[in-house]
Amino acid sequence: MRSNITFIILDVIYIILLATISYTDIKYRIIPNKINILILVLALTKNIFKFNINFLYSSAAGFILALIFVGIPYLIHENMGAGDLKLSAFSGIYWGFYHTLTLLALSYISCAIFAVIINICKKITKKPKITTLPFAPFVLFGSLYLFAINYILK
């Protein structure tokens, strides 16, 4: 039971950190390194409490997966910022491989849908199109979805 409470506390802290990052990303278009480092520490703490070799491999794979999926747009198009890359990579450590795959898919899809809706609204009102969106709120959305699946449906 103590273990479950520990993971619930870690998950709540993770969501609070993601909400803080999302707010600053929306308002200032920056993701503070200090909060990203806290997410890394939280992810490593989760790994220490799990202390399962399979989860350690999964976390490393989640890190690499996030680096690839967010790193390519960062390097090629510069559509993603360095903060988005670090947030995704550290979240990959937190979630592990399979959940990171789901998290990134949900984040990208929800961001794309939101961008289309916003640009349609901008076209109707004859305002300029939006060229960039903060990515952290969509990572928060994907994480909330994963928590719902993990806690509500289990």
Side-chain angles (χ1 to χ4, degrees):
M1 182 68 177
R2 180 173 175 236
S3 174
N4 289 339
I5 292 172
T6 302
F7 291 121
I8 290 170
I9 291 169
L10 290 173
D11 290 344
V12 168
I13 293 169
Y14 176 76
I15 288 296
I16 291 169
L17 291 173
L18 269 182
T20 304
I21 284 176
S22 295
Y23 173 78
T24 58
D25 198 18
I26 290 168
K27 186 158 183 161
Y28 304 108
R29 294 293 173 106
I30 190 166
I31 296 177
N33 282 331
K34 290 178 184 177
I35 302 176
N36 260 337
I37 295 298
L38 288 174
I39 288 182
L40 173 62
V41 169
L42 198 67
L44 295 174
T45 302
K46 183 178 179 183
N47 276 294
I48 288 169
F49 279 112
K50 280 214 175 197
F51 198 68
N52 176 334
I53 194 69
N54 291 331
F55 189 74
L56 292 174
Y57 289 140
S58 180
S59 290
F63 175 79
I64 292 167
L65 179 73
L67 281 180
I68 292 168
F69 275 89
V70 180
I72 291 172
Y74 172 73
L75 292 173
I76 294 175
H77 302 293
E78 296 179 9
N79 290 343
M80 307 293 265
D84 296 320
L85 179 61
K86 289 179 266 188
L87 173 62
S88 299
F90 298 158
S91 291
I93 295 170
Y94 188 85
W95 283 110
F97 180 78
Y98 294 107
H99 282 30
T100 300
L101 192 59
T102 304
L103 173 70
L104 291 174
L106 285 171
S107 299
Y108 276 118
I109 291 167
S110 60
C111 185
I113 291 169
F114 187 77
V116 168
I117 292 169
I118 290 294
N119 283 325
I120 288 171
C121 291
K122 293 284 185 177
K123 189 172 186 172
I124 291 169
T125 61
K126 307 284 187 212
K127 292 184 179 179
K129 287 187 176 182
I130 293 176
T131 56
T132 62
L133 286 172
F135 190 62
F138 301 103
V139 174
L140 174 62
F141 169 75
S143 293
L144 288 172
Y145 173 82
L146 287 172
F147 285 128
I149 294 297
N150 285 329
Y151 285 112
I152 295 170
L153 297 180
K154 273 191 175 182

